[in-house]
Every structure is written in C-alpha cells, then in structure tokens.
Amino acid sequence: MAVLQTLLTGHNITALLIAAVAFLVSLALFSRFRGRRGRGANLPPGPPAWPVLGNLPSLARNPHLQLTAWRGTYGDVFSVKMGLQDAVVVSGKDAIREALVKKAEHFSSRPDLFLMRRNKQQNGLVMSPYGDRWKILRRFSMSTLRSFGMGTGILEEKIDTECRHFCTELETKSGEPFDFTHLLHNAVSNIMCSMALGKRFEYGDPLFLRLMEISERGVELFVTAHVFNIYPVLRFFPVVRKQYKEWMDLSEESIECFMNFIAQHEDGERQEKARDVIEAFRAKLEDDPGSLPDDSLPHLLGDLFVAGMETTANTLRWGLLYLATHPDVQAKVQAELDRVVGRERPPAVSDKPDLPYTEATILEFQRVRTVVPLNLPHCTTADTTLLGYDIPAGTDVLVNLWSLHMDPAHWDNPDTFDPSRFLDDNGQLQLNDSFMPFSTGRRVCLGEQLAKMELFLFLTNMLQRFTFTLPEGARPNFDGILGVTLRPQPYELIATRRE
Ligand code: HEM
C-alpha cells in the first residue's frame, strides 16, 4: 500500500489527477466487463467494495487481521475484490481441506501475476502454474531434498555445522544486547546455500550479504509491489515508476547472481550421489536429456533460497522473542534438554521423540505467530464449488492460515503463548487438526521436513548453551510486519552463556 500512499501524496497533483481520472474511467469500463464474465448464480458473499479499488482500502494494513474479522461476518468462504480481481478467502479447517485436498485438482494453481510473468518467476517452482512444468520441478526437488535427508544424513550434518558456526558467533556477543536478525538469516540461508549450491559463506561475505538483502527486500516489496499486479498500467506513472523499477532490478540481480553460482559451480568427477541441487540437476539432465526444463535452474535455486530463509529465520526470531518474555517456558525446555541430552554432546534429530515439551514449544511458536499468515496465493483452474458456493475458474484464492491458528473454537485463549496446548495429560505430544503452518494439499510446503529439522536443531543448540533475556526496560512488540511472511519488529536480546 506504500505505492498507493506515494500516489496520493505525490507532488505533481494536477498531472496525476488527469492521469488518474483517465485511468479510473478505463478501469471502470474494464471492471464492468470483467464483472459480468463467468458470474455464477451462487457466489460467496463478501464485504461491500469500492468501484475500481474494491476492498483494497480496508486491506491496506494488517490484511490477515481484517480478513479474519470478515470471516466472523461472512463465514468460511467469502469474496473480496482486490482492485478489479475477484478473490475468494477460505478459512477454517474443513473449507481449507475441501479446497486444497479434496478439490486439489481445481485449487492448486497460482495466480498469473503480472510481475511474476515479467520477471519469469513462473519458470521456477513456487509461482509456477499447476501443470506439467510444476509437477516435474516439484518431483525433482522433492526427491533431491529427500536424498540429502535419508541414508547419508547429509542434511543433519549441514544443519549441525551451521548451528556450530552460529553458536560460536553468539559467544562473541554473549552478555550484550544484540539484534539477531542478520545472524539468524545468515545461518539459515547458509543451510540452503550448502544444499542448493554446494557451498556455505562466511557471515560477512559481501556477495552473501547482498543476496540476503535482495531476498529480504523482495519479500518486503511483494505486498506493495502487488499493486502493479492489480493495475499494471501504474508502472508508467512517474511517481510510482521507481517502485516498479526497484522490483524488476532486484529480480534481475538475483537471477544473475544464481546464474553466476551455476557457472562457477565446479563439478569435478561425477559422484555416485549428488551433493547439492546443481549437481543433481546436471546429473538428471545428463542421464535423461530433456527431462527437466533447463531454463528453470536459476529460478529454482532462487525459490529455494527465499522460501527456505524467510520462513525459518522469522519463525526462530518469533520464537526467541516469546522465550525471552516467557522465562518459565524457556527454563522448562532447558530442563528437558539437560535431562535428555545433557551438555556434553550436541542435540540430534534422534532425540526429538524424547523431547515433547521442546517440540510443543516449537509448534506453539508456529501457531501463535503464523509466519505465512495468508499462505501463498492459489488460483482455481476450472469452474468449481466450495462449501456449496460457485467459484469460477481463474479466481484468486487466499487461504487464511492466521484465522485457522487463532480460531477460539479450536484453541483455548488463542492469543496466549502456551506450549502445553500441544501436550496430552501424560505430557506426550498431541496434534490438533486445525494446525497447518506449512499449508496442505499438493502445494504443501516442499521444505516442511527440512524446516522442522532446522527449527529443532537451532532451538535446541541455542538453549543448550544460552539463556535469552530482553535488555532492561525493553518493550516487546508482538505486532508483525507483513510481507509474504509475518516478521517481528526489530528487537534486541541478550544471550547469556549457561553455567
Ligand atoms: C518454518 C518454515 C516454513 C514454513 C512455515 C513454510 C510455509 C510454507 C507455506 C505456507 C507454503 C505455501 C503452500 C501453499 O501454497 O499451499 C510454502 C511453500 C513452499 N515452501 Fe515452505 N515453509 C517453510 C520452510 C521452507 C523451507 C526450509 C523450504 C526449502 C526447501 C521451503 C520451500 C518451499 C517451496 C519450494 C514452496 C512452494 C511449493 C509449491 O508451490 O509447490 N519452505 N511453504
């Protein structure tokens, strides 16, 4: 919405007004045309919308909260107008499962967004429309990641290595207030780098820092730049053109970066088992030419890098904030770790079944601050129905994971941070079917298993060695900043070495 604000406060008001009137008239005509197209008899209800802008003005700030409030009025399936485009908002476990699992064939595509087309992001995996290309890339990526996790245990080794580097770095900050954001982002993205590119970077490496800057800014811009998806013509307007240019420049720079990594990747002698995604991609093409779209590799690497970094690092940042403000929970996790793992060896994934309270704490981080609150956007590929409503083909679908995790019908005191909600009377882990931080269905997070290992190993390594507190007088803020992900406001913590 920053783009709209810039538009409204720009200097050249007269020129802008003339352009805006011409623009709105043409959009209104277009909107009437679209409004008639494909309208079914029983469309989901929804809040009243402004001409042309639709419901965008109400969604400018904290859309996940507004959409959750509208669920109370309009139910589990309702429509909103994102500018000229109809979108359906799906909330509640039954509606979400009906759409993403039972009717997966109809609900598993991505919207054909103008910006994604422009920067060829649809050549990758995350924004690829549902179809053969997506299926091939998804199958390849899944089997490659699985092969890293199974048998050789390469995955756990790589995460362990990074946890060690991260904790060593924390030692140097021990006892002083410190903003963990960059360090955590560096550590988490290094895991993706070593899996995808076959190399990790030193935390201060300028190329690495730039790559992270690009992806963080990209995720931040995703929401504001979305206005160009809704009104592509705005890119010609002088006041907002620079936002469009920034988005396009960042995407180009990021793809160039990944193309350079691919070009510099030394294969050496072919290994029996590929050690990273680039090696696996090349081996697959060598064995079966044409089996993968060969223009997709830089986009796929970029997708894995961004999808893997933002989500996991921000979950850990929320987690540390909650632990620092809930010392009782932190002490209980540490006591469980001391009892099961001790201090002499690092925690391992095989310890997980014996650490139910620790695991419940991680699940509670993911529930109380859903890091992808509105999921990634989906889109229907055919005329279909949902809970009895008609949903035309080509409708954008927003799945409200935030409202699912904050639903008082399924969670007692949903605003309260309480890991024990994930434990039964015997202190064993119990799951709740209204919990889906990784979404569900065919587009379910590809990195779910990896993310779970990362969250577990990072958290246990940190709490085995350190206790986290807020600096004196600090006021914790639990409102997030929403891009594609919900990230915490910047904050500082003190990591104190445990005796
Ligand atoms: C706590 C960490 C994470 C969370 C909460 C998370 C959550 C999600 C969500 C909600 C989606 C959208 C699913 C949908 O469209 O229905 C998604 C997609 C995806 N995630 Fe994750 N994710 C996490 C970590 C990772 C990691 C570590 C990777 C690295 C491999 C990854 C790779 C992907 C990819 C490639 C997709 C797109 C899948 C597709 O379109 O087929 N994610 N993730």
Side-chain angles (χ1 to χ4, degrees):
M1 286 305 106
V3 179
L4 277 179
Q5 277 158 14
T6 318
L7 242 183
L8 296 172
T9 56
H11 306 298
N12 197 350
I13 297 291
T14 317
L16 198 60
L17 277 178
I18 295 170
V21 169
F23 166 64
L24 291 180
V25 169
S26 56
L27 283 187
L29 290 173
F30 178 62
S31 154
R32 285 186 48 192
F33 165 73
R34 278 188 64 94
R36 286 198 296 270
R37 189 173 61 108
R39 284 260 156 197
N42 188 24
L43 293 171
W50 293 91
V52 182
L53 292 175
N55 298 108
L56 287 178
S58 313
L59 297 171
R61 286 175 64 84
N62 296 323
H64 56 303
L65 301 183
Q66 179 61 68
L67 293 174
T68 301
W70 279 337
R71 178 195 179 195
T73 314
Y74 301 105
D76 280 357
V77 178
F78 63 90
S79 329
V80 289
K81 265 213 163 311
M82 305 297 276
L84 305 171
Q85 175 74 17
D86 289 311
V88 163
V89 183
V90 184
S91 318
K93 66 181 167 65
D94 295 332
I96 294 176
R97 288 222 167 78
E98 180 175 335
L100 301 188
V101 181
K102 285 195 206 137
K103 296 190 170 154
E105 205 52 38
H106 292 164
F107 280 90
S108 296
S109 201
R110 299 282 187 220
D112 179 21
L113 300 176
F114 172 78
L115 290 177
M116 303 294 150
R117 224 179 307 130
R118 273 288 161 127
N119 65 16
K120 300 199 170 67
Q121 214 147 332
Q122 292 160 326
N123 286 359
L125 173 64
V126 174
M127 289 312 290
S128 174
Y130 185 65
D132 286 345
R133 187 188 181 96
W134 170 78
K135 283 182 190 157
I136 290 168
L137 284 179
R138 172 114 191 167
R139 207 174 306 130
F140 163 77
S141 310
M142 272 312 257
S143 70
T144 306
L145 293 194
R146 268 203 203 116
S147 76
F148 293 159
M150 292 183 303
T152 61
I154 295 179
L155 205 54
E156 186 164 357
E157 250 170 56
K158 287 186 196 274
I159 302 173
D160 256 347
T161 308
E162 208 50 55
C163 285
R164 265 202 310 280
H165 284 288
F166 176 74
C167 287
T168 308
E169 199 65 28
L170 271 193
E171 297 273 358
T172 67
K173 317 280 182 195
S174 185
E176 49 178 276
F178 168 61
D179 183 343
F180 286 62
T181 311
H182 284 297
L183 191 54
L184 256 178
H185 278 235
N186 284 8
V188 170
S189 38
N190 247 338
I191 295 168
M192 247 7 272
C193 286
S194 56
M195 282 175 55
L197 316 173
K199 64 189 274 190
R200 70 173 295 280
F201 294 85
E202 289 310 318
Y203 292 153
D205 186 296
L207 180 62
F208 186 46
L209 291 177
R210 179 64 191 146
L211 198 57
M212 283 197 312
E213 208 178 338
I214 295 173
S215 43
E216 278 172 39
R217 182 75 183 130
V219 171
E220 211 171 84
L221 267 183
F222 190 87
V223 169
T224 53
H226 188 54
V227 79
F228 298 110
N229 292 321
I230 300 171
Y231 313 116
V233 71
L234 281 181
R235 71 192 187 280
F236 300 116
F237 280 52
V239 184
V240 288
R241 196 165 44 205
K242 77 175 196 310
Q243 304 245 0
Y244 172 74
K245 192 169 171 330
E246 184 186 2
W247 169 271
M248 292 307 291
D249 289 348
L250 283 178
S251 341
E252 244 169 60
E253 192 182 343
S254 137
I255 288 304
E256 250 168 48
C257 225
F258 285 104
M259 284 169 77
N260 287 337
F261 288 136
I262 297 168
Q264 289 157 11
H265 188 277
E266 304 277 348
D267 277 353
E269 211 168 288
R270 184 167 163 181
Q271 306 288 316
E272 198 184 322
K273 207 172 172 88
R275 291 162 302 184
D276 57 65
V277 175
I278 300 181
E279 256 183 34
F281 197 93
R282 287 180 174 160
K284 175 106 175 103
L285 278 182
E286 202 176 295
D287 294 344
D288 189 2
S291 59
L292 289 169
D294 51 10
D295 59 347
S296 60
L297 185 55
H299 296 276
L300 178 63
L301 296 176
D303 280 355
L304 293 176
F305 184 82
V306 177
M309 174 183 84
E310 268 290 315
T311 46
T312 314
N314 282 316
T315 304
L316 286 167
R317 285 180 64 217
W318 280 120
L320 286 174
L321 186 60
Y322 274 97
L323 289 178
T325 49
H326 294 78
D328 52 327
V329 174
Q330 186 170 184
K332 267 175 119 169
V333 175
Q334 285 171 327
E336 191 178 61
L337 277 170
D338 287 350
R339 201 174 58 248
V340 174
V341 182
R343 309 270 185 102
E344 300 304 316
R345 64 166 179 91
V349 172
S350 55
D351 293 317
K352 221 177 179 189
D354 300 321
L355 295 166
Y357 190 80
T358 305
E359 174 106 47
T361 304
I362 296 173
L363 300 182
E364 182 65 349
F365 295 160
Q366 292 195 274
R367 185 201 65 82
V368 77
R369 281 296 171 271
T370 305
V371 86
V372 195
L374 295 176
N375 204 7
L376 292 181
H378 281 234
C379 179
T380 51
T381 45
D383 289 347
T384 185
T385 58
L386 189 58
L387 294 193
Y389 291 114
D390 293 328
I391 316 285
T395 304
D396 292 357
V397 178
L398 300 175
V399 173
N400 192 345
L401 297 176
W402 175 274
S403 87
L404 184 74
H405 293 166
M406 285 290 165
D407 189 342
H410 297 281
W411 308 96
D412 292 337
N413 304 317
D415 289 324
T416 307
F417 175 68
D418 177 13
S420 71
R421 68 175 79 246
F422 284 103
L423 296 175
D424 65 16
D425 293 342
N426 299 318
Q428 293 308 304
L429 207 64
Q430 72 176 354
L431 292 179
N432 179 322
D433 60 2
S434 285
F435 182 65
M436 297 178 207
F438 298 99
S439 183
T440 185
R442 298 203 186 152
R443 292 305 282 242
V444 66
C445 174
L446 179 104
E448 177 171 355
Q449 298 311 325
L450 169 62
K452 285 178 172 167
M453 280 171 83
E454 287 180 317
L455 294 177
F456 176 79
L457 288 174
F458 267 93
L459 185 80
T460 52
N461 270 283
M462 283 192 277
L463 290 187
Q464 187 187 43
R465 297 192 213 179
F466 300 96
T467 297
F468 296 90
T469 48
L470 285 173
E472 218 171 292
R475 294 245 199 108
N477 182 338
F478 294 99
D479 297 335
I481 305 168
L482 187 69
V484 183
T485 53
L486 185 70
R487 45 171 83 168
Q489 308 272 354
Y491 67 87
E492 290 190 329
L493 283 185
I494 300 173
T496 308
R497 188 98 170 94
R498 292 179 69 201
E499 292 307 320

